[in-house]
Amino acid sequence: MRKYSWIAMLFGLNIFAQTPTDDFFYSNNKIYVVVLVLVIIFIGIASYLFRLDRKITKLEKNNEA
Amino acid sequence: MRNSWWKILAIVCLTYVIIGGFLMPAVDDLGILGKTIRNLHFHVPMWFCMLVLLTVSYIYGIKYLSKGNAAHDSMASSFVKVAMLFGLMGLATGSVWARFTWGVWWIEDPKLNGAAIGMLIYTAYYILRNSIEDEVKRGKLSSVFNLFAFPIFIVLILVYPKMAVELSNHPGTGDTMAFSEFRPTANDLRMVFYPAVVGWILLGVWIATLKYRITEIKRKNEEI
């Protein structure tokens, strides 16, 4: 269970009272948390760009018709 | 969605760069740099991307002048706008980097001042475009402006700093070392730096084509 505790951490659930120091996201002075945050932000921006692209394609098709 | 493979490539590259930029090996004992050498993967590609976008804009400016196709003018102006965005991000990230390595937000350095003047030149392009109502006149004037602006920009940010011996702090200018000369460190950096360059350039081109397509939709609607 403890192995997957970071999933709970993601949603702000502190179900493990003691700090699981062997956890991946707690290692290396928690730098992986920053990496994860940046990846989430970037994926958010990227998926927004993809949606924007699709919407513009739709607009172009409507205009041609 | 149009030709999406390179868009996916951009996202894959940049996701790798964000993760690798933090976690891949990179030296942390280069004097005042500390761990900020990792900024290389983010600050430098901003400028590369800007240069590529401006090159595309330049080509389409020439195309517009020779053929008079309004779509080419939309292409040129959209690419300049997104290039400006990347340039501003380059200035901002460079300023932060300078503050924590050289101690100040801005120094009198040919590379920095050249980039700033270059940005002002393209700001003038933007102002020129917005001040002309007539589509054909606007296209012609701004394309001619672009024709002169781009070579000057290249001289300002690539040639002039190289000649500034003993005047520059910026790596790779005048008599300062480029990061590629720190061997074998450079090879560690390259593992992330090259995908970063590819990824950021593709992302910039993608955003610029979106801008172009919106401009074209607007222009066509106005014609009707």
Side-chain angles (χ1 to χ4, degrees), chain A:
Chain A
M1 260 316 276
R2 175 163 287 186
K3 201 175 159 195
Y4 297 104
S5 64
W6 64 273
I7 296 173
M9 296 297 302
L10 274 183
F11 297 101
L13 303 172
N14 194 5
I15 51 171
F16 300 102
Q18 75 275 45
T19 319
T21 43
D22 56 333
D23 190 285
F24 176 71
F25 276 86
Y26 279 92
S27 62
N28 211 337
N29 222 348
K30 300 187 192 177
I31 190 65
Y32 299 107
V33 179
V34 184
V35 177
L36 186 65
V37 165
L38 274 176
V39 169
I40 290 169
I41 290 175
F42 181 68
I43 287 174
I45 291 173
S47 44
Y48 182 74
L49 269 178
F50 273 113
R51 269 183 51 206
L52 200 63
D53 200 317
R54 266 194 212 107
K55 277 184 187 166
I56 293 172
T57 309
K58 231 188 218 171
L59 259 178
E60 282 170 340
K61 274 181 189 154
N62 284 347
N63 270 21
E64 276 163 23

Side-chain angles (χ1 to χ4, degrees), chain B:
Chain B
M1 224 169 62
R2 283 203 215 153
N3 306 326
S4 51
W5 70 267
W6 56 274
K7 294 169 186 172
I8 293 165
L9 178 68
I11 302 307
V12 171
C13 275
L14 289 180
T15 310
Y16 163 73
V17 167
I18 287 169
I19 299 169
F22 278 97
L23 306 181
M24 290 289 277
V27 277
D28 51 11
D29 58 353
L30 285 179
I32 51 172
L33 276 172
K35 288 188 177 178
T36 64
I37 186 82
R38 293 169 193 272
N39 273 348
L40 177 75
H41 313 311
F42 303 98
H43 165 72
V44 182
M46 293 297 119
W47 296 105
F48 285 7
C49 180
M50 185 196 195
L51 278 173
V52 169
L53 296 180
L54 289 179
T55 310
V56 174
S57 166
Y58 183 64
I59 292 167
Y60 276 89
I62 294 171
K63 269 190 170 176
Y64 177 78
L65 284 177
S66 63
K67 294 205 179 99
N69 182 346
H72 291 160
D73 184 48
S74 309
M75 192 79 177
S77 72
S78 308
F79 271 69
V80 166
K81 278 172 195 165
V82 179
M84 290 283 285
L85 170 71
F86 275 84
L88 283 174
M89 291 196 288
L91 283 182
T93 53
S95 196
V96 170
W97 201 358
R99 172 64 186 81
F100 297 104
T101 48
W102 301 330
V104 284
W105 297 101
W106 191 273
I107 56 166
E108 277 195 34
D109 184 310
K111 191 84 165 182
L112 278 70
N113 287 342
I117 298 166
M119 293 291 289
L120 289 177
I121 290 173
Y122 277 99
T123 311
Y125 172 88
Y126 205 13
I127 294 168
L128 176 73
R129 284 191 71 84
N130 286 335
S131 60
I132 303 168
E133 286 279 323
D134 182 60
E135 199 184 89
V136 178
K137 208 184 214 176
R138 181 176 61 210
K140 277 186 184 166
L141 275 175
S142 59
S143 297
V144 172
F145 186 98
N146 199 350
L147 209 62
F148 289 101
F150 184 67
I152 296 171
F153 184 77
I154 294 294
V155 169
L156 279 174
I157 78 162
L158 294 179
V159 182
Y160 163 59
K162 289 264 182 227
M163 305 181 339
V165 178
E166 286 179 9
L167 282 174
S168 183
N169 272 7
H170 201 281
T173 61
D175 48 357
T176 58
M177 276 173 98
F179 287 127
S180 57
E181 290 163 56
F182 292 113
R183 295 174 200 285
T185 306
N187 288 335
D188 284 342
L189 292 172
R190 280 195 186 96
M191 297 276 289
V192 184
F193 181 61
Y194 289 155
V197 170
V198 172
W200 287 113
I201 288 174
L202 288 179
L203 190 80
V205 171
W206 183 10
I207 297 172
T209 52
L210 289 181
K211 174 81 188 137
Y212 158 71
R213 285 159 66 188
I214 292 172
T215 313
E216 274 297 277
I217 290 169
K218 270 191 196 156
R219 190 178 63 81
K220 280 176 186 159
N221 279 351
E222 274 164 19
E223 274 176 5
I224 303 163

